[in-house]
Amino acid sequence: MVENLKEKLISQAQEVSRLRSELVRLNTAILRWAGEAAGREVGPKPVAPCTGCEHSQESAQLRDKLSQLQLEVVENKGMLSELNLEVQQKTDRLAEVELRLKDCLAEKAQEEERLSRRLRDSHETIASLRAQSPPVKYVIKTVEVESSKTKQALSESQARNQHLQEQVAMQRQVLKEMEQQLQSSHQLTAQLRAQIAMYESELERAHGQMLEEMQSLEEDKNRAIEEAFARAQVEMKAVHENLAGVRTNLLTLQPALRTLTNDYNGLKRQVRGFPLLLQEALKSVKAEIGQAIEEVNSNNQELLRKYRRELQLRKKCHNELVRLKGNIRVIARVRPVTKEDGEGPEATNAVTFDADDDSIIHLLHKGKPVSFELDKVFSPRASQQDVFQEVQALITSCIDGFNVCIFAYGQTGAGKTYTMEGTPENPGINQRALQLLFSEVQEKASDWDYTITVSAAEIYNEVLRDLLGQEPQEKLEIRLCPDGSGQLYVPGLTEFRVQSVEDINKVFEFGHTNRTTEFTNLNEHSSRSHALLIVTVRGVDCSTGLRTTGKLNLVDLAGSERVGKSGAEGSRLREAQHINKSLSALGDVIAALRSRQGHVPFRNSKLTYLLQDSLSGDSKTLMVVQVSPVEKNTSETLYSLKFAERVRSVELGPGSRRAELGSWSSQEHLEWEPACQTPQPSARAHSAPGSGTTSRPGSIRRKLQCYSAKR
Ligand code: ADP
Ligand code: MG
């Protein structure tokens, strides 16, 4: 059995080694095919036209299959190696069992031999004992005794034999199992072999397909090459034909080229001579330009000389004009549109300004544009400080002993009180003027001793009242000084000495309280009366004892609107007549002053009479014409601006002309027209809009303003 097993084992080992070599062969075959496939993947690439055809898809499928097969082969290899390992282990165990079996058999043989030897010895002893009779019994006994021993030994050896047989049976069992395992590994090997055979056939088929595909690709390629070659030949033929045409063309072009070359050479020669030509031309042009520049220069010099002469002439004219105009200036201030103006078309803005000239104001009245020129125009954007800056030179001149009058003129609600009094947060000219006087006086305190006194009065219906007195109802009179100096004074008019800003505030407060308690409707009343703030600055030069007195009259005039025309009756009519009279008188006085008439009708109204000192002589007057910007007030605005421009444009003439000027007091102040249309420097308001106006350049006029302000 052992021999049998050995033989089987050997045959199994042979089988396994055969399978192994088969496997190795298959592996090499697979590797070779894979190599070929990879080579083909690279190889057929140049045959580009075949990309995307069904063969390439098939070959890709085949390639996938191949890689799958390779994977399976690798798996099978793994399984085979596992089986090999198992067979190796079994073979080792079998060898071990064989070795043990051999040992047992050898032991058994030894034991048998030993027992048979002892049996033989015993038989011999029995035979010898039988030959000797008496002692036979004993011998037999001994033999029997010895034979029982032997029996025991025999039974032992039988037991051992039994044991060995069991072991052999066990080994046999093991062998059987191993045989079974071998059987199953045989089956597995057969399966693997079948699979390998299948893979081989598959590979063979794939290979065949690939070959076919390659063949068809090769055919395609050859066909494409042939076609391309045929096409190239046709094209080549066409090119040859073209070339022949070009050649003939070239032959005809050659004479033309020759003439062109000749032309080119001629031009080249000309170009060579060109810089010289250019230089000459440049030289002559330069000379011409130089000459022109010299001419222009001399022209410029001439123009400059003329311009300077003109400037001097203008300056002279301006100086003359300033002298003629005297110290009367008229400015306009347009208030902003307020809530009180309401809404709708009536409240739309009708006033515009000139961006380049701040002395021009345009008004759209009943759809017609009218322009006016004044000394300066303040737009609604102008602040209280801006306006004050314009008048502050006037105010300080009062310290030097000049008399100054500042009037706010305009219809009710146009901003007169705002400009003169202002609001507590944003005070107007009155308060700013007093503050300025204080600071100026303080600056001069080392050399001069100044006292500033303030009076406040109002003129209502041609009655003068003291606003700072204990009895505001009392009518005041204007009288000539009894000293025969010709000076006027108002007996009983309170003069309040102010020494600080607080004092000024007290004065204003007191004056205001007096007015409020006196009149139930202050607004209405104030619009019908002229309010005057009279500041007197008296100075004594500490070193020389020289005395100066300057008076600053700040007048918030009554509303200039033409109430009389709207059929007012009773007290309203009286008020209107008084206002009209006094404003006309003011216009007359200013006109007379500007035209330097011998007689100035100061006495025609309380206002002009009271201000006589401050309007005549070398005193300075400024009229601020207040303007409402809204549509509904354009009629009044037009009249205010006409009044302003008339005041401003009253021109001085020779004595003979005086008689030609009309009288302001003879007509309503607003409807005054000069009897004779003397040529006027700015006649815009009189001329129809758009009819050629003669306006002076703004800059020159501004220079004039500065000049008069400085004075
Ligand atoms: P008048 O004294 O001419 O009757 P007011 O000075 O009382 O007019 O002004 C009428 C209204 O317009 C007031 O409410 C005043 O505050 C306002 N107002 C006038 N001028 C200005 C201005 N420049 N800026 C702002 N508000 C103004
Ligand atoms: Mg007012």
Side-chain angles (χ1 to χ4, degrees):
M1 268 172 77
V2 170
E3 284 306 309
N4 263 350
L5 272 172
K6 261 184 197 167
E7 273 170 23
K8 268 184 185 171
L9 257 173
I10 287 159
S11 75
Q12 285 290 335
Q14 278 171 353
E15 185 65 34
V16 165
S17 69
R18 199 187 61 76
L19 273 173
R20 215 178 268 161
S21 63
E22 184 73 2
L23 200 68
V24 168
R25 191 186 63 78
L26 274 173
N27 270 348
T28 49
I30 287 163
L31 282 174
R32 203 182 61 239
W33 283 332
E36 275 175 26
R40 272 197 298 277
E41 259 173 38
V42 180
K45 276 224 168 135
V47 193
C50 204
T51 324
C53 80
E54 56 179 311
H55 299 303
S56 68
Q57 279 177 2
E58 218 172 302
S59 104
Q61 280 172 358
L62 283 172
R63 249 175 248 135
D64 287 347
K65 229 176 200 177
L66 191 67
S67 59
Q68 231 173 334
L69 287 174
Q70 276 171 345
L71 271 174
E72 277 178 43
V73 166
V74 169
E75 270 174 37
N76 288 339
K77 252 188 188 174
M79 269 168 71
L80 205 63
S81 65
E82 270 174 36
L83 279 173
N84 275 347
L85 203 72
E86 220 174 296
V87 168
Q88 189 66 39
Q89 280 171 354
K90 298 258 165 82
T91 317
D92 289 350
R93 266 181 71 189
L94 205 64
E96 210 179 301
V97 168
E98 247 181 305
L99 220 68
R100 274 168 62 191
L101 202 66
K102 249 185 201 167
D103 287 350
C104 287
L105 285 174
E107 233 175 277
K108 193 184 151 195
Q110 273 178 358
E111 191 66 24
E112 270 178 352
E113 203 175 291
R114 197 174 57 80
L115 285 174
S116 61
R117 205 171 38 241
R118 278 184 72 179
L119 199 64
R120 217 173 30 245
D121 286 348
S122 303
H123 279 297
E124 277 173 11
T125 315
I126 290 167
S128 66
L129 283 173
R130 264 183 198 151
Q132 297 165 3
S133 215
V136 166
K137 272 186 185 174
Y138 171 74
V139 170
I140 287 171
K141 242 182 180 173
T142 319
V143 167
E144 271 176 0
V145 172
E146 276 185 3
S147 133
S148 71
K149 268 185 193 171
T150 311
K151 267 178 192 167
Q152 197 184 345
L154 195 68
S155 67
E156 270 174 22
S157 32
Q158 272 172 347
R160 277 182 68 182
N161 203 9
Q162 185 77 25
H163 172 71
L164 281 172
Q165 266 174 353
E166 276 169 15
Q167 270 195 348
V168 167
M170 224 163 66
Q171 292 295 335
R172 225 174 260 154
Q173 187 69 28
V174 170
L175 207 65
K176 209 174 182 178
E177 278 171 22
M178 281 172 76
E179 265 178 348
Q180 274 170 359
Q181 276 181 10
L182 207 63
Q183 193 78 23
S184 68
S185 73
H186 263 304
Q187 278 170 1
L188 204 67
T189 313
Q191 270 175 10
L192 283 172
R193 213 177 278 159
Q195 263 186 6
I196 286 164
M198 200 178 73
Y199 294 154
E200 269 179 343
S201 71
E202 195 101 338
L203 270 171
E204 201 79 30
R205 201 172 57 78
H207 189 64
Q209 273 183 359
M210 221 165 333
L211 281 177
E212 271 173 29
E213 200 185 307
M214 270 172 70
Q215 191 140 0
S216 82
L217 287 173
E218 192 74 20
E219 279 166 11
D220 283 352
K221 188 180 87 183
N222 288 342
R223 224 181 3 260
I225 287 169
E226 269 166 26
E227 279 170 15
F229 185 69
R231 260 204 314 276
Q233 267 183 335
V234 170
E235 276 170 21
M236 199 71 173
K237 210 172 170 186
V239 167
H240 272 297
E241 279 164 10
N242 271 351
L243 200 68
V246 168
R247 248 183 222 145
T248 50
N249 274 350
L250 252 170
L251 284 175
T252 52
L253 277 172
Q254 256 166 1
L257 194 69
R258 226 167 283 138
T259 51
L260 270 177
T261 318
N262 287 343
D263 285 356
Y264 170 73
N265 286 336
L267 278 172
K268 226 174 167 179
R269 274 194 296 278
Q270 275 184 20
V271 165
R272 235 174 267 141
F274 183 72
L276 213 69
L277 224 83
L278 191 72
Q279 243 173 11
E280 276 169 24
L282 273 174
K283 216 185 267 173
S284 74
V285 166
K286 264 185 195 165
E288 271 174 40
I289 288 173
Q291 208 176 334
I293 288 171
E294 260 169 41
E295 272 171 35
V296 167
N297 259 346
S298 65
N299 272 355
N300 273 355
Q301 290 293 330
E302 178 64 15
L303 281 174
L304 205 68
R305 202 173 48 74
K306 279 184 183 168
Y307 172 71
R308 284 195 185 125
R309 208 180 57 209
E310 197 68 18
L311 258 186
Q312 274 175 355
L313 211 70
R314 267 169 186 260
K315 214 170 178 181
K316 227 165 123 187
C317 286
H318 297 155
N319 290 344
E320 186 65 10
L321 200 67
V322 169
R323 193 182 63 76
L324 294 177
K325 266 194 168 179
N327 290 320
I328 298 165
R329 293 177 62 231
V330 184
I331 63 172
R333 185 184 192 186
V334 183
R335 73 155 166 81
V337 178
T338 61
K339 266 190 211 153
E340 284 71 34
D341 291 321
E343 280 174 10
E346 285 210 316
T348 53
N349 180 56
V351 176
T352 48
F353 306 90
D354 194 317
D356 303 320
D357 192 343
D358 62 0
S359 64
I360 306 287
I361 179 168
H362 306 287
L363 175 73
L364 193 71
H365 175 56
K366 292 182 180 164
K368 286 184 191 164
V370 200
S371 302
F372 295 91
E373 183 174 8
L374 304 171
D375 289 310
K376 182 154 178 117
V377 176
F378 284 104
S379 78
R381 282 200 301 275
S383 65
Q384 298 281 61
Q385 181 56 30
D386 293 337
V387 177
F388 184 68
Q389 218 147 7
E390 187 69 19
V391 302
Q392 89 181 30
L394 272 187
I395 288 158
T396 46
S397 75
C398 159
I399 298 170
D400 304 323
F402 288 97
N403 287 342
V404 177
C405 278
I406 299 175
F407 295 101
Y409 177 96
Q411 71 174 114
T412 302
K416 296 184 294 296
T417 309
Y418 185 84
T419 294
M420 298 312 286
E421 283 181 23
T423 57
E425 312 80 51
N426 203 0
I429 292 173
N430 291 1
Q431 195 166 335
R432 286 171 199 263
L434 278 164
Q435 276 172 1
L436 179 69
L437 287 177
F438 268 128
S439 66
E440 292 280 315
V441 159
Q442 267 164 13
E443 263 180 41
K444 292 188 171 186
S446 53
D447 306 319
W448 285 82
D449 187 13
Y450 283 105
T451 47
I452 300 175
T453 58
V454 175
S455 299
E458 78 163 16
I459 299 168
Y460 174 68
N461 282 349
E462 287 300 282
V463 174
L464 178 67
R465 289 178 214 274
D466 182 9
L467 287 178
L468 298 180
Q470 295 303 315
E471 286 178 51
Q473 281 293 29
E474 196 187 337
K475 290 183 187 176
L476 298 179
E477 291 301 328
I478 305 160
R479 294 192 198 287
L480 263 174
C481 273
D483 59 3
S485 64
Q487 294 275 306
L488 291 172
Y489 83 106
V490 182
L493 181 68
T494 313
E495 268 197 39
F496 198 94
R497 188 173 170 188
V498 284
Q499 282 168 315
S500 64
V501 179
E502 287 75 49
D503 288 348
I504 305 167
N505 292 337
K506 264 186 228 160
V507 169
F508 287 140
E509 234 168 71
F510 189 63
H512 211 254
T513 326
N514 255 351
R515 257 184 143 186
T516 346
T517 47
E518 277 306 305
F519 302 99
T520 45
N521 190 342
L522 178 67
N523 270 349
E524 186 125 313
H525 171 79
S526 65
S527 74
R528 309 261 151 260
S529 61
H530 308 301
L532 295 100
L533 183 72
I534 304 158
V535 184
T536 313
V537 185
R538 293 185 182 89
V540 183
D541 188 336
C542 301
S543 51
T544 61
L546 185 80
R547 287 177 182 274
T548 60
T549 304
K551 227 190 237 182
L552 172 65
N553 301 280
L554 302 161
V555 189
D556 183 355
L557 290 169
S560 63
E561 59 272 18
R562 295 158 303 151
V563 180
K565 286 205 153 184
S566 56
E569 287 177 351
S571 63
R572 282 307 292 275
L573 185 62
R574 233 180 99 225
E575 275 177 353
Q577 282 167 344
H578 279 125
I579 294 165
N580 192 47
K581 189 185 158 198
S582 58
L583 292 177
S584 297
L586 183 64
D588 284 341
V589 165
I590 293 173
L593 285 168
R594 283 188 68 133
S595 57
R596 299 194 190 279
Q597 289 178 28
H599 171 71
V600 182
F602 289 114
R603 281 172 172 265
N604 282 356
S605 80
K606 274 265 154 52
L607 178 72
T608 48
Y609 191 35
L610 178 68
L611 297 176
Q612 185 173 341
D613 297 349
S614 304
L615 288 166
S616 56
D618 54 1
S619 42
K620 301 164 191 223
T621 299
L622 177 86
M623 172 100 45
V624 185
V625 177
Q626 288 291 148
V627 168
S628 156
V630 292
E631 175 65 33
K632 64 181 171 195
N633 294 136
T634 50
S635 288
E636 288 301 335
T637 303
L638 183 72
Y639 277 97
S640 292
L641 288 170
K642 275 186 176 177
F643 178 81
E645 201 168 52
R646 277 173 204 155
V647 165
R648 190 174 162 267
S649 61
V650 169
E651 205 183 0
L652 278 180
S656 60
R657 261 214 216 149
R658 259 177 247 149
E660 290 168 7
L661 287 164
S663 163
W664 288 55
S665 48
S666 62
Q667 296 171 37
E668 208 170 310
H669 77 284
L670 294 162
E671 290 173 356
W672 173 85
E673 292 284 343
C676 170
Q677 294 286 324
T678 51
Q680 294 182 356
S682 62
R684 280 186 209 198
H686 305 283
S687 55
S691 68
T693 54
T694 52
S695 86
R696 291 163 292 144
S699 58
I700 295 162
R701 212 194 42 67
R702 270 195 288 278
K703 272 184 207 158
L704 177 62
Q705 270 179 19
C706 292
Y707 177 75
S708 48
K710 274 177 197 153
R711 279 181 64 189

